[in-house]
Amino acid sequence: MDRTPSLTGSEDCTDSSSNCSVPDTPANWSPNVVGEHYSIPMDEIALQPVMRADLPLGGSREGRISHSVRRQIRNVCCIGAGYVGGPTAAMIALHNPHIRVTVVDRDERRVRAWNSRHLPIHEPGLSDVVRAARDGLRPGVDGTGRADASNDESSTRAPNLFFSTACAETIAEADVVMISVNTPTKRRGQGAGRATDMTAFEGATRDVATHSRRGCIIVEKSTVPCKTGQLINNITQQHRPELDFPVLSNPEFLSEGTAIKDLMRPDRVIIGCETTPSGTAAAEALADLYASWVPRERIVTNNIWSAELCKLTANAMLAQRISSINSISAICERTGADVGEIAKSIGLDRRIGPQFLKAGLGFGGSCFRKDIASLTYLAESLGLPEVAAYWEQVLTMNNYQRDRFALNVVAKLNNSLRGKKITILGYAFKKDTGDARESPALDVVRILLEEGPKSIAIFDPLCSEADIRYELSALPAADAQDIVKVCADPYEACEDSSAVLVLTDWDMFKLQARPAPVKAQPVDSPMIARFSPSTPAELLHLPQRSKQTPPTTDRGAVVVGSLPEEILARLQPQAECGTGCEECLLVSKSMGSKQRQEAMDWSRVATLVRQPKMLFDGRNVLDAAGMDALGFRLETLGRASTI
Ligand code: NAI
């Protein structure tokens, strides 16, 4: 199905005669439409009365115009269909059914995946949100499967989320462009290893400057160095000196693995703007988009530099807590103190709180390391070497933690891995994501490879073999790809192993009283994702429309992806993949989704591994007493060694 958006937009988004292509009615159903409205001074910026049906006209504030006005947003373009762009755009579309949201990316394959039944990223609940917004919802059906006569128009919605490679055309008709492209660390040249590589961001900004229409709001969604707003202004000035484009900073705080929950109920939405009338009006327009589902008091407006810097600061502070507790774990191992008990004790202090105090292998993923590196570089460039050194230490401690974990494995295996097979359970940097980027597991593999093991078997329930192999290609060992085997079956990975290393906190690795089968409906992604039972009450706000309870697993967790029957019946049927679909082939070849997420049977693992059944828990997820009972010799970070 061709999902390329039509190109009928006018030149100016503030023009009430705009012929912007908006979703066809009926589009009235959204999870939660909030009708809050406000006014802004007429003389400050070209404005027009509110046209949206869900936003009532009327109301005024002293000194402001007599009827409610706002900058009208009908088309949103999001550049970058990645971990941030895709889910964020889907959430905005879901909650703003009258607005057309188009995600563009240069990567054709990624766009194709977003338009297919195999989304390119795995996030619990993402598929439901995308399907509802991308495909629309049909009216409900009655018990016999016929259209339910009691369902009115308001229970349906038209598609308003699109994925496309038509970057220039989509930008040209957008009222708001959100730049969500990758901003990795520079690999070469000035600042290599620390400074942010702004190549993709600069390219996207040039595209916006070239193709956007007058008044288009440019939003920094990517994590960028402080003062990037100035870079955007410089670029737009070079390309379109006659026009003024309001620039906003709207950093994203979602975490992979919980992206949908985070987007659905954000702690805060930060919007940084220039303190000009057009900047303020643009910030208010963006706030309107979020206010469709985020309480107004959680939408915070800052000056643009604060907004840019607060994202780097938030990640640096979170990472700092991890490094802090990990530094204590090293002391615990030498003293007999238990880092778990310490974390619990200090976490009870409300000034400290319990979050991010779990000792383990350290942080990974595409954000923490590069954002701290960026902060360090920023401090240094500003002539603040002490500040740079302070944050640098967070990274140093993180590297130290993973190195000492891997070196301890080698030491406990008598300083020789020759002829030995090592098993790695979990490659992703955290549970519930298939993102293989910047995983601490890669450094562990690197150190193990230096010792010349016979083989290293990796099992991860979500990371694909291709992604893991791509990451391995960065390792110096020429034989890395031959020595490492990526297994689809955890028991195959453990067979004949001299040491099993748990490197991701996947729930399936936790010791269960008995292996609990997951009662799940088949889903399109190879993963069955689970939320806490409370989540579906918010997710899509569907249960309030449903008399049925969503399916649950044996342990009471609700299976996201298996919505109540009545809602499933309202999702549009997904187009079949063509014959030879690589993803379908992969799913059919690999273990079923059920098996991949089943709790590990550790008693079975105990029969497969070599004596003395060495087990290294890099995430402190295993139950020491239970593992001991199964005959494992468990080594844990932050507790004195018993081996
Ligand atoms: P990603 O690498 O998954 O996606 C970026 C996408 O942008 C790619 O698909 C790429 O093809 C596309 N792209 C690059 N230049 C383009 C251009 N000129 N035109 C069209 N498409 C273009 O990156 P991810 O993880 O989504 O991160 C995006 C930004 O969000 C980064 O700055 C990151 O630091 C930040 N962020 C990431 C979070 C995460 O958990 N991944 C969380 C919060 C922020």
Side-chain angles (χ1 to χ4, degrees), residues 79-85 104-107 110 167 180-183 200 203-204 207 221-223 252 254 256 311 366-367 370 437:
I79 307 181
Y83 287 84
V84 164
V104 293
D105 202 294
R106 287 174 172 172
D107 185 339
R110 225 171 195 184
C167 296
S180 314
V181 301
N182 39 316
T183 50
D207 287 346
K221 196 81 190 143
S222 299
T223 304
E252 183 48 61
L254 67 78
E256 284 179 29
K311 170 65 188 175
S366 65
C367 293
K370 73 137 173 125
R437 296 177 295 180

PDB file of all heavy atoms in Angstrom, residues 79-85 104-107 110 167 180-183 200 203-204 207 221-223 252 254 256 311 366-367 370 437, ligand 1:
ATOM      1  N   ILE A  79      11.600  14.088  11.164  1.00  0.00           N
ATOM      2  CA  ILE A  79      12.717  13.562  10.368  1.00  0.00           C
ATOM      3  C   ILE A  79      13.487  12.567  11.227  1.00  0.00           C
ATOM      4  O   ILE A  79      13.997  12.922  12.291  1.00  0.00           O
ATOM      5  CB  ILE A  79      13.658  14.684   9.901  1.00  0.00           C
ATOM      6  CG1 ILE A  79      12.879  15.788   9.180  1.00  0.00           C
ATOM      7  CG2 ILE A  79      14.749  14.130   9.001  1.00  0.00           C
ATOM      8  CD1 ILE A  79      13.758  16.925   8.668  1.00  0.00           C
ATOM      9  N   GLY A  80      13.573  11.331  10.743  1.00  0.00           N
ATOM     10  CA  GLY A  80      14.272  10.278  11.486  1.00  0.00           C
ATOM     11  C   GLY A  80      13.277   9.288  12.051  1.00  0.00           C
ATOM     12  O   GLY A  80      12.543   9.597  12.985  1.00  0.00           O
ATOM     13  N   ALA A  81      13.239   8.093  11.450  1.00  0.00           N
ATOM     14  CA  ALA A  81      12.277   7.067  11.876  1.00  0.00           C
ATOM     15  C   ALA A  81      12.959   6.046  12.773  1.00  0.00           C
ATOM     16  O   ALA A  81      12.873   4.846  12.554  1.00  0.00           O
ATOM     17  CB  ALA A  81      11.665   6.389  10.646  1.00  0.00           C
ATOM     18  N   GLY A  82      13.675   6.547  13.778  1.00  0.00           N
ATOM     19  CA  GLY A  82      14.410   5.641  14.660  1.00  0.00           C
ATOM     20  C   GLY A  82      13.687   5.369  15.962  1.00  0.00           C
ATOM     21  O   GLY A  82      12.456   5.438  16.036  1.00  0.00           O
ATOM     22  N   TYR A  83      14.459   5.092  16.998  1.00  0.00           N
ATOM     23  CA  TYR A  83      13.912   4.734  18.310  1.00  0.00           C
ATOM     24  C   TYR A  83      13.145   5.892  18.932  1.00  0.00           C
ATOM     25  O   TYR A  83      12.244   5.674  19.728  1.00  0.00           O
ATOM     26  CB  TYR A  83      15.045   4.293  19.243  1.00  0.00           C
ATOM     27  CG  TYR A  83      15.575   2.936  18.881  1.00  0.00           C
ATOM     28  CD1 TYR A  83      16.543   2.769  17.893  1.00  0.00           C
ATOM     29  CD2 TYR A  83      15.073   1.801  19.499  1.00  0.00           C
ATOM     30  CE1 TYR A  83      17.010   1.516  17.550  1.00  0.00           C
ATOM     31  CE2 TYR A  83      15.529   0.536  19.164  1.00  0.00           C
ATOM     32  CZ  TYR A  83      16.500   0.408  18.186  1.00  0.00           C
ATOM     33  OH  TYR A  83      16.945  -0.846  17.843  1.00  0.00           O
ATOM     34  N   VAL A  84      13.519   7.123  18.579  1.00  0.00           N
ATOM     35  CA  VAL A  84      12.805   8.279  19.113  1.00  0.00           C
ATOM     36  C   VAL A  84      11.735   8.752  18.133  1.00  0.00           C
ATOM     37  O   VAL A  84      10.563   8.906  18.497  1.00  0.00           O
ATOM     38  CB  VAL A  84      13.802   9.422  19.431  1.00  0.00           C
ATOM     39  CG1 VAL A  84      13.089  10.745  19.622  1.00  0.00           C
ATOM     40  CG2 VAL A  84      14.573   9.066  20.695  1.00  0.00           C
ATOM     41  N   GLY A  85      12.130   8.967  16.874  1.00  0.00           N
ATOM     42  CA  GLY A  85      11.198   9.529  15.896  1.00  0.00           C
ATOM     43  C   GLY A  85       9.936   8.698  15.720  1.00  0.00           C
ATOM     44  O   GLY A  85       8.821   9.240  15.749  1.00  0.00           O
ATOM     45  N   VAL A 104       9.631  10.879   8.181  1.00  0.00           N
ATOM     46  CA  VAL A 104      10.432  10.637   6.976  1.00  0.00           C
ATOM     47  C   VAL A 104      11.818  10.148   7.366  1.00  0.00           C
ATOM     48  O   VAL A 104      12.339  10.509   8.419  1.00  0.00           O
ATOM     49  CB  VAL A 104      10.559  11.899   6.088  1.00  0.00           C
ATOM     50  CG1 VAL A 104       9.225  12.283   5.499  1.00  0.00           C
ATOM     51  CG2 VAL A 104      11.173  13.071   6.848  1.00  0.00           C
ATOM     52  N   ASP A 105      12.350   9.327   6.518  1.00  0.00           N
ATOM     53  CA  ASP A 105      13.703   8.818   6.750  1.00  0.00           C
ATOM     54  C   ASP A 105      14.313   8.513   5.387  1.00  0.00           C
ATOM     55  O   ASP A 105      13.611   8.141   4.446  1.00  0.00           O
ATOM     56  CB  ASP A 105      13.643   7.549   7.616  1.00  0.00           C
ATOM     57  CG  ASP A 105      14.964   7.281   8.330  1.00  0.00           C
ATOM     58  OD1 ASP A 105      15.976   6.993   7.649  1.00  0.00           O
ATOM     59  OD2 ASP A 105      14.983   7.364   9.569  1.00  0.00           O
ATOM     60  N   ARG A 106      15.633   8.677   5.328  1.00  0.00           N
ATOM     61  CA  ARG A 106      16.326   8.347   4.078  1.00  0.00           C
ATOM     62  C   ARG A 106      16.459   6.846   3.907  1.00  0.00           C
ATOM     63  O   ARG A 106      16.706   6.374   2.807  1.00  0.00           O
ATOM     64  CB  ARG A 106      17.726   8.949   4.112  1.00  0.00           C
ATOM     65  CG  ARG A 106      17.712  10.439   3.947  1.00  0.00           C
ATOM     66  CD  ARG A 106      19.113  10.953   4.135  1.00  0.00           C
ATOM     67  NE  ARG A 106      19.173  12.364   3.786  1.00  0.00           N
ATOM     68  CZ  ARG A 106      20.219  13.123   4.000  1.00  0.00           C
ATOM     69  NH1 ARG A 106      21.303  12.611   4.556  1.00  0.00           N
ATOM     70  NH2 ARG A 106      20.212  14.384   3.659  1.00  0.00           N
ATOM     71  N   ASP A 107      16.363   6.149   5.003  1.00  0.00           N
ATOM     72  CA  ASP A 107      16.569   4.707   4.986  1.00  0.00           C
ATOM     73  C   ASP A 107      15.284   4.018   4.517  1.00  0.00           C
ATOM     74  O   ASP A 107      14.327   3.851   5.278  1.00  0.00           O
ATOM     75  CB  ASP A 107      16.952   4.257   6.398  1.00  0.00           C
ATOM     76  CG  ASP A 107      17.297   2.785   6.475  1.00  0.00           C
ATOM     77  OD1 ASP A 107      16.878   2.025   5.579  1.00  0.00           O
ATOM     78  OD2 ASP A 107      17.968   2.391   7.443  1.00  0.00           O
ATOM     79  N   ARG A 110      13.999   0.999   6.466  1.00  0.00           N
ATOM     80  CA  ARG A 110      13.356   1.324   7.736  1.00  0.00           C
ATOM     81  C   ARG A 110      11.918   1.800   7.501  1.00  0.00           C
ATOM     82  O   ARG A 110      10.997   1.411   8.209  1.00  0.00           O
ATOM     83  CB  ARG A 110      14.155   2.414   8.448  1.00  0.00           C
ATOM     84  CG  ARG A 110      14.347   2.105   9.902  1.00  0.00           C
ATOM     85  CD  ARG A 110      15.301   3.023  10.611  1.00  0.00           C
ATOM     86  NE  ARG A 110      15.666   2.390  11.880  1.00  0.00           N
ATOM     87  CZ  ARG A 110      16.423   2.945  12.794  1.00  0.00           C
ATOM     88  NH1 ARG A 110      16.936   4.124  12.602  1.00  0.00           N
ATOM     89  NH2 ARG A 110      16.682   2.303  13.918  1.00  0.00           N
ATOM     90  N   CYS A 167      11.288  13.067   1.783  1.00  0.00           N
ATOM     91  CA  CYS A 167      11.668  14.058   2.806  1.00  0.00           C
ATOM     92  C   CYS A 167      11.289  15.481   2.370  1.00  0.00           C
ATOM     93  O   CYS A 167      10.592  16.194   3.094  1.00  0.00           O
ATOM     94  CB  CYS A 167      13.159  13.982   3.088  1.00  0.00           C
ATOM     95  SG  CYS A 167      13.675  12.411   3.797  1.00  0.00           S
ATOM     96  N   SER A 180      14.676  14.363  14.524  1.00  0.00           N
ATOM     97  CA  SER A 180      14.955  13.249  15.458  1.00  0.00           C
ATOM     98  C   SER A 180      16.013  12.331  14.876  1.00  0.00           C
ATOM     99  O   SER A 180      15.890  11.106  14.949  1.00  0.00           O
ATOM    100  CB  SER A 180      13.693  12.427  15.703  1.00  0.00           C
ATOM    101  OG  SER A 180      12.604  13.233  15.943  1.00  0.00           O
ATOM    102  N   VAL A 181      17.011  12.924  14.285  1.00  0.00           N
ATOM    103  CA  VAL A 181      18.029  12.089  13.638  1.00  0.00           C
ATOM    104  C   VAL A 181      19.113  11.730  14.644  1.00  0.00           C
ATOM    105  O   VAL A 181      19.200  12.289  15.738  1.00  0.00           O
ATOM    106  CB  VAL A 181      18.639  12.796  12.408  1.00  0.00           C
ATOM    107  CG1 VAL A 181      17.564  13.130  11.390  1.00  0.00           C
ATOM    108  CG2 VAL A 181      19.388  14.053  12.828  1.00  0.00           C
ATOM    109  N   ASN A 182      19.954  10.797  14.254  1.00  0.00           N
ATOM    110  CA  ASN A 182      21.017  10.317  15.125  1.00  0.00           C
ATOM    111  C   ASN A 182      22.091  11.385  15.347  1.00  0.00           C
ATOM    112  O   ASN A 182      22.447  12.121  14.423  1.00  0.00           O
ATOM    113  CB  ASN A 182      21.639   9.041  14.550  1.00  0.00           C
ATOM    114  CG  ASN A 182      21.782   9.097  13.040  1.00  0.00           C
ATOM    115  OD1 ASN A 182      20.876   9.527  12.341  1.00  0.00           O
ATOM    116  ND2 ASN A 182      22.929   8.706  12.539  1.00  0.00           N
ATOM    117  N   THR A 183      22.581  11.472  16.581  1.00  0.00           N
ATOM    118  CA  THR A 183      23.656  12.416  16.906  1.00  0.00           C
ATOM    119  C   THR A 183      24.726  11.648  17.694  1.00  0.00           C
ATOM    120  O   THR A 183      24.871  11.832  18.897  1.00  0.00           O
ATOM    121  CB  THR A 183      23.113  13.589  17.758  1.00  0.00           C
ATOM    122  OG1 THR A 183      22.354  13.059  18.859  1.00  0.00           O
ATOM    123  CG2 THR A 183      22.242  14.521  16.951  1.00  0.00           C
ATOM    124  N   ALA A 200      24.392  14.310  10.605  1.00  0.00           N
ATOM    125  CA  ALA A 200      22.998  14.008  10.246  1.00  0.00           C
ATOM    126  C   ALA A 200      22.091  15.165  10.632  1.00  0.00           C
ATOM    127  O   ALA A 200      21.185  15.547   9.871  1.00  0.00           O
ATOM    128  CB  ALA A 200      22.540  12.723  10.936  1.00  0.00           C
ATOM    129  N   GLY A 203      22.552  17.999   8.227  1.00  0.00           N
ATOM    130  CA  GLY A 203      21.936  17.660   6.932  1.00  0.00           C
ATOM    131  C   GLY A 203      20.422  17.832   6.993  1.00  0.00           C
ATOM    132  O   GLY A 203      19.806  18.423   6.088  1.00  0.00           O
ATOM    133  N   ALA A 204      19.833  17.338   8.073  1.00  0.00           N
ATOM    134  CA  ALA A 204      18.372  17.447   8.203  1.00  0.00           C
ATOM    135  C   ALA A 204      17.967  18.920   8.306  1.00  0.00           C
ATOM    136  O   ALA A 204      16.969  19.351   7.710  1.00  0.00           O
ATOM    137  CB  ALA A 204      17.908  16.673   9.441  1.00  0.00           C
ATOM    138  N   ASP A 207      17.945  20.461   4.972  1.00  0.00           N
ATOM    139  CA  ASP A 207      16.736  20.060   4.230  1.00  0.00           C
ATOM    140  C   ASP A 207      15.542  20.915   4.659  1.00  0.00           C
ATOM    141  O   ASP A 207      14.746  21.366   3.830  1.00  0.00           O
ATOM    142  CB  ASP A 207      16.410  18.577   4.497  1.00  0.00           C
ATOM    143  CG  ASP A 207      17.391  17.647   3.795  1.00  0.00           C
ATOM    144  OD1 ASP A 207      18.129  18.123   2.903  1.00  0.00           O
ATOM    145  OD2 ASP A 207      17.412  16.449   4.144  1.00  0.00           O
ATOM    146  N   LYS A 221      14.585  17.600  18.411  1.00  0.00           N
ATOM    147  CA  LYS A 221      14.144  16.459  19.213  1.00  0.00           C
ATOM    148  C   LYS A 221      15.363  15.594  19.550  1.00  0.00           C
ATOM    149  O   LYS A 221      15.415  14.967  20.601  1.00  0.00           O
ATOM    150  CB  LYS A 221      13.113  15.658  18.392  1.00  0.00           C
ATOM    151  CG  LYS A 221      12.306  14.705  19.196  1.00  0.00           C
ATOM    152  CD  LYS A 221      11.166  15.423  19.880  1.00  0.00           C
ATOM    153  CE  LYS A 221      10.500  14.512  20.881  1.00  0.00           C
ATOM    154  NZ  LYS A 221      10.062  15.204  22.086  1.00  0.00           N
ATOM    155  N   SER A 222      16.302  15.577  18.634  1.00  0.00           N
ATOM    156  CA  SER A 222      17.549  14.851  18.893  1.00  0.00           C
ATOM    157  C   SER A 222      18.233  15.459  20.110  1.00  0.00           C
ATOM    158  O   SER A 222      18.006  16.618  20.451  1.00  0.00           O
ATOM    159  CB  SER A 222      18.510  15.003  17.708  1.00  0.00           C
ATOM    160  OG  SER A 222      17.970  14.470  16.537  1.00  0.00           O
ATOM    161  N   THR A 223      19.091  14.666  20.748  1.00  0.00           N
ATOM    162  CA  THR A 223      19.916  15.197  21.833  1.00  0.00           C
ATOM    163  C   THR A 223      21.116  15.903  21.209  1.00  0.00           C
ATOM    164  O   THR A 223      21.874  15.287  20.452  1.00  0.00           O
ATOM    165  CB  THR A 223      20.389  14.051  22.746  1.00  0.00           C
ATOM    166  OG1 THR A 223      19.228  13.359  23.196  1.00  0.00           O
ATOM    167  CG2 THR A 223      21.161  14.586  23.934  1.00  0.00           C
ATOM    168  N   GLU A 252      13.867  14.586  24.171  1.00  0.00           N
ATOM    169  CA  GLU A 252      13.064  13.395  24.459  1.00  0.00           C
ATOM    170  C   GLU A 252      13.699  12.613  25.609  1.00  0.00           C
ATOM    171  O   GLU A 252      14.900  12.367  25.598  1.00  0.00           O
ATOM    172  CB  GLU A 252      12.970  12.519  23.202  1.00  0.00           C
ATOM    173  CG  GLU A 252      12.092  11.309  23.375  1.00  0.00           C
ATOM    174  CD  GLU A 252      10.750  11.643  24.001  1.00  0.00           C
ATOM    175  OE1 GLU A 252       9.988  12.428  23.416  1.00  0.00           O
ATOM    176  OE2 GLU A 252      10.460  11.148  25.112  1.00  0.00           O
ATOM    177  N   LEU A 254      12.404   9.539  26.722  1.00  0.00           N
ATOM    178  CA  LEU A 254      11.970   8.142  26.782  1.00  0.00           C
ATOM    179  C   LEU A 254      13.165   7.214  26.972  1.00  0.00           C
ATOM    180  O   LEU A 254      14.293   7.537  26.602  1.00  0.00           O
ATOM    181  CB  LEU A 254      11.194   7.757  25.519  1.00  0.00           C
ATOM    182  CG  LEU A 254      11.920   7.695  24.167  1.00  0.00           C
ATOM    183  CD1 LEU A 254      12.737   6.432  23.983  1.00  0.00           C
ATOM    184  CD2 LEU A 254      10.922   7.825  23.047  1.00  0.00           C
ATOM    185  N   GLU A 256      14.501   3.309  26.139  1.00  0.00           N
ATOM    186  CA  GLU A 256      14.203   2.126  25.328  1.00  0.00           C
ATOM    187  C   GLU A 256      13.721   1.013  26.249  1.00  0.00           C
ATOM    188  O   GLU A 256      14.200   0.862  27.370  1.00  0.00           O
ATOM    189  CB  GLU A 256      15.446   1.689  24.567  1.00  0.00           C
ATOM    190  CG  GLU A 256      15.706   2.590  23.384  1.00  0.00           C
ATOM    191  CD  GLU A 256      16.954   2.207  22.607  1.00  0.00           C
ATOM    192  OE1 GLU A 256      17.310   1.021  22.592  1.00  0.00           O
ATOM    193  OE2 GLU A 256      17.574   3.110  22.028  1.00  0.00           O
ATOM    194  N   LYS A 311      18.728  18.014  28.867  1.00  0.00           N
ATOM    195  CA  LYS A 311      18.736  16.612  28.419  1.00  0.00           C
ATOM    196  C   LYS A 311      20.091  15.966  28.737  1.00  0.00           C
ATOM    197  O   LYS A 311      20.168  14.859  29.282  1.00  0.00           O
ATOM    198  CB  LYS A 311      18.429  16.555  26.918  1.00  0.00           C
ATOM    199  CG  LYS A 311      18.633  15.206  26.279  1.00  0.00           C
ATOM    200  CD  LYS A 311      17.679  14.155  26.819  1.00  0.00           C
ATOM    201  CE  LYS A 311      18.068  12.782  26.295  1.00  0.00           C
ATOM    202  NZ  LYS A 311      17.287  11.711  26.852  1.00  0.00           N
ATOM    203  N   SER A 366      22.668   3.705  23.396  1.00  0.00           N
ATOM    204  CA  SER A 366      23.191   4.714  22.479  1.00  0.00           C
ATOM    205  C   SER A 366      23.243   6.098  23.103  1.00  0.00           C
ATOM    206  O   SER A 366      23.654   7.042  22.447  1.00  0.00           O
ATOM    207  CB  SER A 366      22.320   4.740  21.227  1.00  0.00           C
ATOM    208  OG  SER A 366      21.022   5.167  21.577  1.00  0.00           O
ATOM    209  N   CYS A 367      22.831   6.263  24.354  1.00  0.00           N
ATOM    210  CA  CYS A 367      22.697   7.632  24.884  1.00  0.00           C
ATOM    211  C   CYS A 367      23.658   8.013  26.007  1.00  0.00           C
ATOM    212  O   CYS A 367      24.373   9.005  25.879  1.00  0.00           O
ATOM    213  CB  CYS A 367      21.261   7.859  25.351  1.00  0.00           C
ATOM    214  SG  CYS A 367      20.089   7.850  23.998  1.00  0.00           S
ATOM    215  N   LYS A 370      27.486   8.572  25.191  1.00  0.00           N
ATOM    216  CA  LYS A 370      27.751   9.660  24.231  1.00  0.00           C
ATOM    217  C   LYS A 370      27.280  11.010  24.781  1.00  0.00           C
ATOM    218  O   LYS A 370      27.891  12.034  24.506  1.00  0.00           O
ATOM    219  CB  LYS A 370      27.134   9.351  22.874  1.00  0.00           C
ATOM    220  CG  LYS A 370      25.643   9.477  22.813  1.00  0.00           C
ATOM    221  CD  LYS A 370      25.169  10.171  21.558  1.00  0.00           C
ATOM    222  CE  LYS A 370      23.665  10.102  21.482  1.00  0.00           C
ATOM    223  NZ  LYS A 370      23.024  11.374  21.341  1.00  0.00           N
ATOM    224  N   ARG A 437      23.046  -1.588  20.057  1.00  0.00           N
ATOM    225  CA  ARG A 437      24.097  -0.570  20.015  1.00  0.00           C
ATOM    226  C   ARG A 437      24.719  -0.343  21.395  1.00  0.00           C
ATOM    227  O   ARG A 437      24.020  -0.307  22.393  1.00  0.00           O
ATOM    228  CB  ARG A 437      23.526   0.763  19.505  1.00  0.00           C
ATOM    229  CG  ARG A 437      23.038   0.697  18.081  1.00  0.00           C
ATOM    230  CD  ARG A 437      22.406   2.019  17.651  1.00  0.00           C
ATOM    231  NE  ARG A 437      21.184   2.339  18.397  1.00  0.00           N
ATOM    232  CZ  ARG A 437      20.463   3.431  18.188  1.00  0.00           C
ATOM    233  NH1 ARG A 437      20.831   4.296  17.284  1.00  0.00           N
ATOM    234  NH2 ARG A 437      19.363   3.655  18.885  1.00  0.00           N
TER     235      ARG A 437
HETATM  236  P1  NAI B   1      18.313   6.182  15.211  1.00  0.00           P
HETATM  237  O1  NAI B   1      19.683   5.986  14.688  1.00  0.00           O
HETATM  238  O2  NAI B   1      17.544   4.986  15.661  1.00  0.00           O
HETATM  239  O3  NAI B   1      17.409   6.923  14.128  1.00  0.00           O
HETATM  240  C1  NAI B   1      17.823   8.051  13.442  1.00  0.00           C
HETATM  241  C2  NAI B   1      17.248   7.989  12.034  1.00  0.00           C
HETATM  242  O4  NAI B   1      17.475   9.229  11.390  1.00  0.00           O
HETATM  243  C3  NAI B   1      17.879   6.928  11.137  1.00  0.00           C
HETATM  244  O5  NAI B   1      16.884   6.034  10.690  1.00  0.00           O
HETATM  245  C4  NAI B   1      18.495   7.721   9.977  1.00  0.00           C
HETATM  246  O6  NAI B   1      18.387   7.048   8.734  1.00  0.00           O
HETATM  247  C5  NAI B   1      17.650   8.971   9.997  1.00  0.00           C
HETATM  248  N1  NAI B   1      18.277  10.126   9.354  1.00  0.00           N
HETATM  249  C6  NAI B   1      19.498  10.653   9.582  1.00  0.00           C
HETATM  250  N2  NAI B   1      19.678  11.751   8.834  1.00  0.00           N
HETATM  251  C7  NAI B   1      18.562  11.929   8.106  1.00  0.00           C
HETATM  252  C8  NAI B   1      18.137  12.897   7.159  1.00  0.00           C
HETATM  253  N3  NAI B   1      18.894  13.945   6.826  1.00  0.00           N
HETATM  254  N4  NAI B   1      16.919  12.758   6.612  1.00  0.00           N
HETATM  255  C9  NAI B   1      16.120  11.725   6.939  1.00  0.00           C
HETATM  256  N5  NAI B   1      16.462  10.787   7.840  1.00  0.00           N
HETATM  257  C10 NAI B   1      17.662  10.890   8.424  1.00  0.00           C
HETATM  258  O7  NAI B   1      18.441   7.234  16.405  1.00  0.00           O
HETATM  259  P2  NAI B   1      17.562   7.323  17.729  1.00  0.00           P
HETATM  260  O8  NAI B   1      17.990   6.317  18.703  1.00  0.00           O
HETATM  261  O9  NAI B   1      16.129   7.416  17.362  1.00  0.00           O
HETATM  262  O10 NAI B   1      18.047   8.734  18.308  1.00  0.00           O
HETATM  263  C11 NAI B   1      17.690   9.938  17.677  1.00  0.00           C
HETATM  264  C12 NAI B   1      18.074  11.084  18.591  1.00  0.00           C
HETATM  265  O11 NAI B   1      17.324  10.997  19.799  1.00  0.00           O
HETATM  266  C13 NAI B   1      19.538  11.070  19.014  1.00  0.00           C
HETATM  267  O12 NAI B   1      19.958  12.395  19.137  1.00  0.00           O
HETATM  268  C14 NAI B   1      19.506  10.433  20.386  1.00  0.00           C
HETATM  269  O13 NAI B   1      20.572  10.847  21.199  1.00  0.00           O
HETATM  270  C15 NAI B   1      18.195  10.956  20.933  1.00  0.00           C
HETATM  271  N6  NAI B   1      17.572  10.111  21.931  1.00  0.00           N
HETATM  272  C16 NAI B   1      17.598   8.750  21.796  1.00  0.00           C
HETATM  273  C17 NAI B   1      16.983   7.952  22.724  1.00  0.00           C
HETATM  274  C18 NAI B   1      17.007   6.472  22.596  1.00  0.00           C
HETATM  275  O14 NAI B   1      16.628   5.800  23.549  1.00  0.00           O
HETATM  276  N7  NAI B   1      17.431   5.902  21.488  1.00  0.00           N
HETATM  277  C19 NAI B   1      16.279   8.529  23.884  1.00  0.00           C
HETATM  278  C20 NAI B   1      16.255   9.961  23.900  1.00  0.00           C
HETATM  279  C21 NAI B   1      16.898  10.712  22.950  1.00  0.00           C
END
